[in-house]
Amino acid sequence: MSKEPGAVHFVLDAAAGTAAVAAIGAPAISKAQSDVIRIGHLTPRTGFLGPLGEYAVQAVDLAVDEINAAGGVLGRRIEALKEDSVNPQTASTKAERMIERDRVACIVGEISSASCLTIAQVAQRTRNLFINTGGNSDALRGSNCNRYMFHVESQNSMYVKTVGRALLAQNMVKGKRWYSLTADYAFGHDLLKVAKRFMEQNGGQFAADELVPTDFSDFSTMLTKIRSARPDMVVSNLAGVQITNFLKQYAEFGLTFPVAGFGFDTAVAWGAGSGNFFGTWPLVWHHLIDTPGSKRFVQAFTARYRRPPENQAWGDYVAMKILAQSMNEIRSTEAVKLIEHWEREPKFDVLKTREGYFRKYDHQMMHEMYAVEALKPNEIKNQWDIYKPSAPTPGANEPLDAIGSTPEENTCTMSA
Amino acid sequence: MTASLILQQVLNGLLDGVYYLLIALGLSLIFSLGGIVNLAHGAFFAMGAYLTIVLTPHVGFGGAFVGSPVAVALFGMLIERFLFRRFYRSDPILSLLLTFGLAMVAEQTLRMVFGAAPLPYSIPQALRGQIFIGDFVYSRYRGILLLVAVACIAGIWLLLNRTAFGRVVRAGVQNPDMVAALGISLQPYMSAVAALGIGLAGLAGVLLAPIYSVHPAMGQEIITPAFVVVVIGGLGSFRGVVAAAILVGLVKGLIVAAGYAQMSTAAIYLLMLLVLLFRPRGLFGERIQRFE
């Protein structure tokens, strides 16, 4: 998350960093105990991505309890050390401490693509594993890919191709003019690039593409411009609670152009309020998926936290489960051995119809994705089931990597 | 760009300025009278929004519109009585630390009580819709919001400039020792000003809950631009804060209109920098003895 320079932000960030450093340094954490395997969990828990981070943390707690109840890993309990990653600088400092001081076996988490990059650099330097559960940018799987980073979260290309297929079916691409709003930081820039490539390949064009600072909260000026530009579709490449602001104000100004988004988290729509959700959006997972694994997860999460899990909860839950399962299978917690194992592309239950696997080429998890269509206010029965999901993308007769980026689109050269 | 489009953008900018104004006025009042830099002001704004969501099912939006700012103001009086009051005469850095801590405690409390996810809230049915005049379109709710805010600001101006209460407050800003020498205790005025300023932040919370995302960090998001407004306007100056809020809103609005939205945040800091370079007191800042 890239914040604009500002005195107060600076003070807040600096103090949050200091507080966290103090917390890590506290004597409560003793030296490595042989009966416990520690996993470091970093994710933004404050700021504009904080609402999503909360789901991630809850999912990790649930996964850890389930793993330990099932006998742990190699006969040892696992323990998650969880911290607010705050911003890319703090994320990197905390990752270093977790690895060098707390001797974690692996770092799991993140949502901000910018913080993913700094954590991945630490992981590579210290030869430790980092599983990205929420950073979408293609660059993390391309120009910045590295051997020590694996991605449970889908890349921007997969999001764009999933929603893109739904929009092609709605005839909203060829010959159409889109007006896009893009979050002005690593994630947004990357997403816009992928979205533009999609439009070029499919014969559409952009009426305008606007970059929006991440602390931009009043969209009235933007909505006025959109109205006078009369695009065929308005496209959101925004992130976090900013999407909630956009949805609320779009409804307020009564604009009727169809809306789609290339990045989305269910929590921002749940938080918008009745009449404020519309359009077509991509999801890496949603709580209505009808598989036994998914249902079990939704039930356990809802029983514990009194709300259904959203997509970010799925990412961190599945990452922890895959990690524990793999350590048990190869009977080792060593990063190099796990990397070798995952590069052989074993299949994992990711709570969907088909099993997923980490693609050797760029370490991206290949799995099904979904496009969801907002329900009309009169079709909504309860506050959680607010959209109609598509069938899984890609379809059953296609290989899973049909929606992944190709090596030409996103070149990854793994450095050792 | 057509004339109607420019007019709409000016109006959008004005309204954006009015949000900042509701926050910045309270900040400025509390700072000029007590010397407290209230970093917790954004937290009171967030509290106003959350209270609106809590109160609406019981008393409706109308009830929350009155109840929430009043409750926030009363809470503000308690904060003034038990915390601010100890710091009026001390080094401003102490009160800065106090309110900074308070802001963090408040944000985290909201997160613990209501969760980190944004809470759903919509514009009340009766206030939805748009105003159309030819090519010109505007949100009906924002029109009402603008009227409410202007009425509040006019009311505060009258209170400060046309009443005995206002005379003492203004004298207290200029020269508290002289006020004391005249046998007037500033203490009750401090309470009243804190309630007024903090209540305004609560009011902004109610007004913005239907159109902004209601989440724990919402206060932190609004406090920085509000400070910029106070600094540009000049400390202790009512019209300075008003002028600066409108200026900041307009500059932001027109920069977005011109197609440079990504620079809209940077632009207001640049504006502040220019004002500080050429007029360190701010646009309408008065010379305040104890800060010279």
Side-chain angles (χ1 to χ4, degrees):
Chain A
M1 119 178 68
S2 55
K3 283 181 169 170
E4 300 300 326
V8 176
H9 275 319
F10 173 75
V11 175
L12 292 173
D13 287 351
T18 319
V21 167
I24 290 183
I29 297 162
S30 55
K31 286 286 155 214
Q33 295 158 316
S34 58
D35 58 334
V36 166
I37 295 170
R38 292 209 180 100
I39 312 289
H41 185 256
L42 286 170
T43 211
R45 296 166 71 166
T46 48
F48 78 108
L49 298 171
L52 311 173
E54 187 181 64
Y55 280 96
V57 171
Q58 292 181 336
V60 165
D61 286 341
L62 179 65
V64 166
D65 287 355
E66 287 181 4
I67 292 163
N68 285 334
V73 170
L74 304 175
R76 290 146 74 186
R77 281 169 38 76
I78 64 162
E79 181 184 280
L81 297 182
K82 295 163 297 175
E83 288 275 346
D84 180 358
S85 60
V86 187
N87 59 35
Q89 295 75 30
T90 312
S92 150
T93 311
K94 291 189 175 182
E96 247 162 42
R97 289 202 169 234
M98 282 180 165
I99 288 168
E100 281 162 13
R101 175 175 188 146
D102 305 318
R103 305 271 167 221
V104 296
C106 172
I107 290 185
V108 173
E110 252 326 310
I111 297 172
S112 155
S113 292
S115 297
C116 277
L117 180 59
T118 62
I119 296 174
Q121 286 162 347
V122 173
Q124 186 177 27
R125 198 177 60 240
T126 57
R127 295 175 186 279
N128 268 274
L129 208 50
F130 167 48
I131 308 180
N132 162 27
T133 60
N136 301 20
S137 121
D138 269 18
L140 291 168
R141 291 86 170 160
S143 51
N144 298 321
C145 74
N146 90 51
R147 216 177 152 228
Y148 293 87
M149 172 165 54
F150 285 78
H151 312 272
V152 168
E153 172 65 282
S154 291
Q155 60 177 165
N156 278 335
S157 280
M158 294 165 73
Y159 278 89
V160 168
K161 289 177 184 180
T162 301
V163 158
R165 285 174 172 213
L167 298 179
L168 282 167
Q170 294 169 16
N171 200 15
M172 289 308 298
V173 183
K174 196 170 165 56
K176 302 290 181 184
R177 291 163 65 246
W178 288 1
Y179 199 115
S180 74
L181 303 179
T182 300
D184 191 10
Y185 79 113
F187 156 76
H189 297 172
D190 192 278
L191 185 52
L192 180 61
K193 203 172 97 187
V194 180
K196 282 190 162 165
R197 188 166 61 217
F198 174 82
M199 279 302 259
E200 266 168 34
Q201 287 168 350
N202 292 283
Q205 52 170 321
F206 281 81
D209 57 282
E210 304 254 19
L211 288 175
V212 181
T214 57
D215 61 355
F216 193 86
S217 46
D218 185 56
F219 283 90
S220 58
T221 41
M222 209 62 95
L223 295 169
T224 305
K225 286 181 78 179
I226 292 174
R227 187 171 173 271
S228 71
R230 305 199 183 288
D232 294 305
M233 176 161 249
V234 179
V235 168
S236 152
N237 297 324
L238 301 170
V241 289
Q242 202 167 30
I243 300 179
T244 312
N245 283 340
F246 167 73
L247 288 170
K248 281 177 128 172
Q249 294 169 26
Y250 197 85
E252 181 199 0
F253 275 76
L255 297 192
T256 50
F257 311 111
V259 172
F262 283 141
F264 182 60
D265 293 280
T266 313
V268 304
W270 282 338
S274 72
N276 295 335
F277 181 52
F278 31 79
T280 309
W281 304 81
L283 278 174
V284 69
W285 177 87
H286 59 83
H287 69 290
L288 301 170
I289 292 177
D290 195 10
T291 62
S294 216
K295 283 177 149 170
R296 222 171 13 247
F297 170 52
V298 172
Q299 201 174 26
F301 191 99
T302 311
R304 182 157 168 173
Y305 302 113
R306 295 192 304 279
R307 60 176 181 180
E310 66 113 63
N311 46 289
Q312 190 54 57
W314 169 86
D316 293 76
Y317 180 82
V318 161
M320 293 298 286
K321 287 295 182 91
I322 289 177
L323 186 62
Q325 182 191 335
S326 301
M327 285 174 168
N328 275 329
E329 277 169 6
I330 62 167
R331 309 214 54 77
S332 170
T333 60
E334 272 177 59
V336 178
K337 296 219 168 113
L338 283 164
I339 293 170
E340 285 169 1
H341 177 57
W342 289 341
E343 285 189 339
R344 286 192 289 271
E345 303 193 346
K347 298 268 171 59
F348 295 101
D349 176 10
V350 289
L351 316 183
K352 302 178 181 182
T353 319
R354 291 157 80 181
E355 293 183 309
Y357 65 93
F358 290 113
R359 176 164 76 169
K360 180 170 190 269
Y361 172 66
D362 57 0
H363 291 181
Q364 171 63 54
M365 166 78 71
M366 287 296 135
H367 54 166
E368 294 166 327
M369 301 261 307
Y370 310 84
V372 298
E373 184 84 38
L375 292 176
K376 295 188 176 62
N378 58 3
E379 297 170 330
I380 293 175
K381 304 274 186 292
N382 65 59
Q383 71 180 110
W384 309 114
D385 306 342
I386 56 174
Y387 45 65
K388 193 174 74 172
S390 70
T393 310
N397 50 359
E398 286 178 282
L400 282 173
D401 68 353
I403 53 170
S405 61
T406 62
E408 294 74 42
E409 288 168 344
N410 197 36
T411 310
C412 160
T413 316
M414 290 279 173
S415 45
Chain B
M1 245 191 294
T2 62
S4 119
L5 192 59
I6 293 173
L7 184 66
Q8 280 185 62
Q9 296 297 29
V10 167
L11 197 59
N12 286 330
L14 271 180
L15 196 70
D16 204 14
V18 165
Y19 311 148
Y20 297 144
L21 185 52
L22 287 175
I23 307 283
L25 257 186
L27 271 182
S28 175
L29 276 172
I30 292 168
F31 180 79
S32 17
L33 194 59
I36 303 256
V37 178
N38 186 14
L39 286 174
H41 213 63
F44 295 116
F45 160 72
M47 197 185 289
Y50 273 92
L51 266 177
T52 306
I53 293 181
V54 171
L55 291 176
T56 301
H58 307 288
V59 294
F61 180 74
F65 172 71
V66 178
S68 174
V70 169
V72 173
L74 289 176
F75 185 70
M77 282 175 92
L78 289 178
I79 296 282
E80 193 277 338
R81 171 68 189 79
F82 293 105
L83 294 173
F84 288 0
R85 198 168 281 187
R86 297 163 193 271
F87 294 93
Y88 287 141
R89 293 269 162 180
S90 51
D91 188 339
I93 199 76
L94 293 178
S95 63
L96 193 87
L97 282 173
L98 168 82
T99 58
F100 174 55
L102 209 55
M104 291 212 292
V105 169
E107 184 179 325
Q108 198 54 34
T109 305
L110 288 177
R111 198 167 279 123
M112 285 162 70
V113 175
F114 296 97
L119 295 189
Y121 197 72
S122 307
I123 301 173
Q125 204 65 48
L127 305 179
R128 290 186 198 179
Q130 293 79 36
I131 306 164
F132 294 94
I133 307 168
D135 236 7
F136 180 95
V137 65
Y138 207 64
S139 144
R140 199 152 138 240
Y141 180 77
R142 277 182 206 230
I144 297 165
L145 204 156
L146 190 59
L147 291 180
V148 171
V150 168
C152 277
I153 291 154
I156 290 170
W157 186 85
L158 286 173
L159 183 70
L160 288 178
N161 290 287
R162 292 284 183 271
T163 64
F165 171 85
R167 262 197 301 281
V168 177
V169 170
R170 280 182 296 135
V173 169
Q174 277 304 317
N175 197 333
D177 295 332
M178 184 57 84
V179 175
L182 290 170
I184 300 171
S185 164
L186 271 179
Q187 213 68 275
Y189 292 89
M190 301 274 205
S191 278
V193 162
L196 194 65
I198 290 171
L200 275 179
L203 178 70
V206 181
L207 294 175
L208 295 192
I211 54 173
Y212 275 34
S213 149
V214 179
H215 63 113
M218 64 190 295
Q220 195 200 317
E221 283 170 6
I222 203 157
I223 190 84
T224 319
F227 263 111
V228 172
V229 164
V230 174
V231 171
I232 292 176
L235 294 166
S237 164
F238 184 90
R239 58 194 180 121
V241 174
V242 174
I246 291 172
L247 187 65
V248 163
L250 282 181
V251 166
K252 254 183 92 173
L254 291 175
I255 283 183
V256 174
Y260 299 101
Q262 69 270 35
M263 295 184 205
S264 58
T265 309
I268 68 168
Y269 294 109
L270 192 65
L271 186 67
M272 176 171 82
L273 184 74
L274 289 176
V275 168
L276 286 178
L277 274 179
F278 295 106
R279 205 176 152 77
R281 269 191 286 151
L283 293 178
F284 296 91
E286 295 170 31
R287 272 185 197 286
I288 297 177
Q289 228 174 5
R290 60 202 149 106
F291 302 123
E292 293 290 322

